[in-house]
Amino acid sequence: MATTTGYSSEKAGYNLNNNGQELTNDPTLAGKRRNSVNEGTEMYGDIGSVEEYGYVERALKSRHIQFIALGGTIGTGLFVGIGGALYKSGPLSILLGYSIMGFFIYAMMQSLGEMITWLPLPGAIPQMCARYADPALGFAVGWNQWYSNALTQCAEVSAAATVISYWTAREDGSVSVNPAVWITIIILLILGLNIFAVGIYGEAEFCFASVKLVTILGLLILAFIIDLGGSPRHHRLGFEYWRNPGAMTTIVAAGNGGRFLSFWSTMVNAAFSYGGVEMVAVAAGEAENPRKNIPKAVKRTFWRILFFYVLGSLAIGVMVPYNDQRLDGGTGNAASSPWVIGIQIAQINALPSIINAVILTSAASSGNAFLYSGSRYLFGLAQVGQAPRIFLKCTKRGLPWICVLVTWAFSFLTYLSVGAGSTTVFNWFLNLTTIANLFTWVGISIAAICWQRAILAQGVKRDDLPFKSFGQPYLAWASLIMFSLVIIFNGWQVFTAGNWAVTDFIIAYVGVPIFFVFFIFWKVFKRTKWVKPAEADIWSGKAAIDNEVWPEQIPKNFIEKFWFWLC
């Protein structure tokens, strides 16, 4: 590997001696910069490239990583979107759908955790697909997920502006302040949280996720109290709404066939609600002590799914009858939240505004997170030569600022949601992102299967892995099959009698040809071949990470012991 010494680059912000170490009086900063330089040198092949472009730094602390993983699980779908699924399918359907899909999400995260802990690189998911399976798969997953993140950022900003209208609406339904004002404020806010240092993003997500965590735990406890008759009504609900109006609806067909289709439609909704759960892998390349902090976050995926989605779907299913028309309100704010509707049925006042504030926090947090992850996907693509090298450019603090600005520029598309005539165009943009996450999860599952074959062919024992998941490669195969089925049948309803509509068909499947266009383009342009297990690159970049030394956290008392366990 070629190395060059003796550089001092003001452009990249590094001042290095002949050993590649930065000259600074701050030992902590020096250690982080040294790790950054070492990782960048191994990835790029020479220290000159590190000085020219810079490299990301490991500035996300353990608590940042744990709460980024937490925030990626709790989104607006849990507070508002799940209400639409309840209205369409019934309480038993959403409980089964979110639980079963949660299992396959957990299986996928186990596979991802094993790979990302071995080699925690920035924007690592497309890199793993390219290294272990096929460079064309990495190209397709990376660009597919980048445009999806960039456009989903718009959806979250628009959702946040809509939530604010809950407070600014007049009696006649109009708003006192143009939503464009709130859109401008929110997109500037998320830029500010992302453009200066990754640590600022980490602190923001820590705060956002803390609010969401406290809220959902409070709502679960409140739902339990209401169900047992502790509300002002003093009426014990039990499973009353499961008997009347019922536990499941029927869709398209009558009887058991209609109930199965009702359940399947919830599986599709659940898959979309879990979008962003892989966010912790995107942050792995900037995490302190990744071999310890990433496995901790991945292992807790099971408990996050259980407590938030399984118990959450059960809670709203016992509080709200599925035929309550307010669930289908489509306002996007607290008025259509099943939690708020359940609280109103229980005759508890004052909470809707609080829940609305949490929904606003959730939407702003998601916009912030999608800007971050989109920029890192673009950075990861540039690292492997699948995007222009200008996107490698980082600030002195290790922030890929060009990637951030280019991804953030897409947020201006949010203004299309303001004008009545432009709303249709905006919705078409959003439809492009509908199944992008599912393709990413398919890519992760394929990469995991190839990864298992590669470590076997190259003599790596599973007991030597920093994180060893159970049930491999069967979990990877199971998640691959399930996510593929959801992609294929997500628009099943348009093929039933009397339900064909060109618009609905395009909405359901437009993401499929886009993904394969990316794949075929790189396959033909670069003449790539499927990677043989013995030739898969499982080593590049690993040595520098192996050589990093992180201080051991030793708790001094019970409070610190609990905090270190939590974060």
Side-chain angles (χ1 to χ4, degrees):
M1 180 179 297
T3 59
T4 308
T5 59
Y7 285 89
S8 179
S9 172
E10 294 181 1
K11 291 189 295 181
Y14 295 108
N15 185 18
L16 309 173
N17 63 18
N18 288 335
N19 294 319
Q21 298 175 331
E22 184 175 26
L23 303 176
T24 176
N25 294 324
D26 186 342
T28 303
L29 179 61
K32 289 183 179 179
R33 295 278 169 79
R34 183 165 55 251
N35 290 341
S36 175
V37 170
N38 290 341
E39 287 187 39
T41 300
E42 185 166 358
M43 286 297 300
Y44 298 155
D46 65 277
I47 201 172
S49 295
V50 179
E51 290 198 302
E52 180 181 356
Y53 297 108
Y55 199 73
V56 294
E57 291 184 3
R58 297 194 175 276
L60 292 175
K61 303 179 185 300
S62 177
R63 60 185 174 88
H64 295 153
I65 293 298
Q66 304 312 314
F67 278 71
I68 286 171
L70 181 71
T73 309
I74 307 174
T76 53
L78 184 58
F79 293 111
V80 179
I82 196 172
L86 174 64
Y87 181 79
K88 184 178 181 180
S89 303
L92 180 58
S93 291
I94 65 168
L95 178 60
L96 292 174
Y98 279 81
S99 300
I100 294 173
M101 184 55 65
F103 168 77
F104 290 102
I105 293 292
Y106 176 69
M108 181 272 296
M109 287 299 295
Q110 287 289 303
S111 304
L112 178 60
E114 191 170 281
M115 294 186 292
I116 201 67
T117 306
W118 173 268
L119 200 57
L121 300 174
I125 293 174
Q127 293 200 49
M128 290 185 296
C129 293
R131 288 183 180 212
Y132 310 148
D134 189 323
L137 180 63
F139 180 85
V141 167
W143 281 105
N144 189 69
Q145 195 64 4
W146 173 76
Y147 87 73
S148 172
N149 279 235
L151 293 178
T152 306
Q153 168 195 198
C154 302
E156 298 297 341
V157 172
S158 178
T162 302
V163 167
I164 296 174
S165 69
Y166 179 84
W167 293 296
T168 63
R170 298 189 180 100
E171 292 184 1
D172 62 358
S174 62
V175 292
S176 57
V177 180
N178 192 305
V181 175
W182 307 123
I183 290 172
T184 302
I185 293 173
I186 295 166
I187 63 175
L188 290 176
L189 171 64
I190 64 174
L191 175 64
L193 294 175
N194 278 272
I195 197 62
F196 296 109
V198 70
I200 296 176
Y201 162 78
E203 292 295 346
E205 281 303 294
F206 176 77
C207 295
F208 286 144
S210 297
V211 171
K212 292 190 284 187
L213 173 63
V214 171
T215 302
I216 195 63
L217 290 177
L219 289 173
L220 288 173
I221 294 171
L222 180 61
F224 181 70
I225 294 172
I226 291 173
D227 191 54
L228 293 181
S231 71
R233 292 178 62 198
H234 302 294
H235 176 64
R236 183 186 178 95
L237 291 172
F239 285 86
E240 175 182 322
Y241 295 137
W242 286 47
R243 294 188 297 271
N244 182 26
M248 301 180 79
T249 65
T250 58
I251 297 178
V252 177
N256 290 334
R259 282 187 280 273
F260 173 78
L261 294 175
S262 171
F263 155 73
W264 178 257
S265 68
T266 305
M267 291 280 283
V268 176
N269 289 334
F272 300 149
S273 295
Y274 283 116
V277 70
E278 76 288 346
M279 197 80 72
V280 65
V282 181
E286 296 168 272
E288 292 182 354
N289 200 358
R291 297 275 166 75
K292 176 182 178 182
N293 294 329
I294 299 302
K296 184 193 294 187
V298 171
K299 289 175 183 177
R300 291 175 177 176
T301 302
F302 172 82
W303 300 108
R304 290 194 294 271
I305 291 172
L306 174 64
F307 279 102
F308 301 144
Y309 280 97
V310 177
L311 293 184
S313 60
L314 176 62
I316 67 170
V318 298
M319 283 200 305
V320 184
Y322 74 75
N323 61 354
D324 193 305
Q325 295 298 315
R326 289 171 292 182
L327 292 170
D328 195 38
T331 61
N333 57 39
S336 58
S337 168
W339 301 98
V340 171
I341 294 170
I343 290 167
Q344 289 173 338
I345 292 174
Q347 299 177 358
I348 300 174
N349 300 320
L351 281 179
S353 286
I354 297 175
I355 303 302
N356 206 56
V358 174
I359 296 171
L360 174 60
T361 300
S362 181
S365 169
S366 296
N368 183 42
F370 282 115
L371 173 56
Y372 169 80
S373 60
S375 64
R376 274 28 176 211
Y377 276 114
L378 192 54
F379 181 78
L381 287 166
Q383 278 194 307
V384 294
Q386 294 180 336
R389 286 181 69 85
I390 191 174
F391 292 122
L392 295 174
K393 194 70 174 176
C394 294
T395 65
K396 183 177 180 179
R397 293 191 174 187
L399 188 129
W401 63 275
I402 296 179
C403 292
V404 170
L405 288 178
V406 169
T407 306
W408 175 76
F410 276 72
S411 65
F412 288 99
L413 292 174
T414 312
Y415 290 109
L416 289 174
S417 66
V418 176
S422 301
T423 302
T424 302
V425 179
F426 179 70
N427 288 335
W428 274 89
F429 277 125
L430 297 186
N431 292 334
L432 295 176
T433 71
T434 304
I435 58 175
N437 264 322
L438 284 160
F439 272 114
T440 298
W441 299 340
V442 165
I444 291 170
S445 302
I446 293 173
I449 294 168
C450 296
W451 151 262
Q452 299 295 333
R453 294 171 178 171
I455 60 174
L456 180 65
Q458 298 185 35
V460 177
K461 298 179 180 179
R462 290 191 55 78
D463 290 337
D464 294 335
L465 298 176
F467 170 65
K468 182 175 69 172
S469 65
F470 69 93
Q472 295 297 351
Y474 308 107
L475 286 182
W477 275 108
S479 60
L480 171 62
I481 293 170
M482 174 53 69
F483 298 144
S484 298
L485 287 174
V486 175
I487 290 173
I488 294 169
F489 294 109
N490 89 92
W492 63 270
Q493 199 163 345
V494 301
F495 300 108
T496 58
N499 289 309
W500 171 260
V502 174
T503 301
D504 292 341
F505 174 80
I506 293 174
I507 288 173
Y509 293 106
V510 67
V512 177
I514 291 176
F515 180 86
F516 283 105
V517 164
F518 283 134
F519 181 85
I520 294 171
F521 166 75
W522 200 254
K523 191 78 175 174
V524 174
F525 179 64
K526 290 292 185 178
R527 301 177 183 271
T528 66
K529 296 181 179 179
W530 204 259
V531 178
K532 296 178 180 179
E535 299 174 359
D537 183 8
I538 64 174
W539 302 105
S540 294
K542 184 175 181 294
I545 298 171
D546 289 342
N547 292 331
E548 294 174 358
V549 178
W550 299 96
E552 184 68 25
Q553 290 182 319
I554 301 176
K556 299 178 182 178
N557 50 53
F558 174 78
I559 295 177
E560 283 194 356
K561 185 176 182 180
F562 172 77
W563 180 252
F564 291 162
W565 169 82
L566 178 65
C567 298

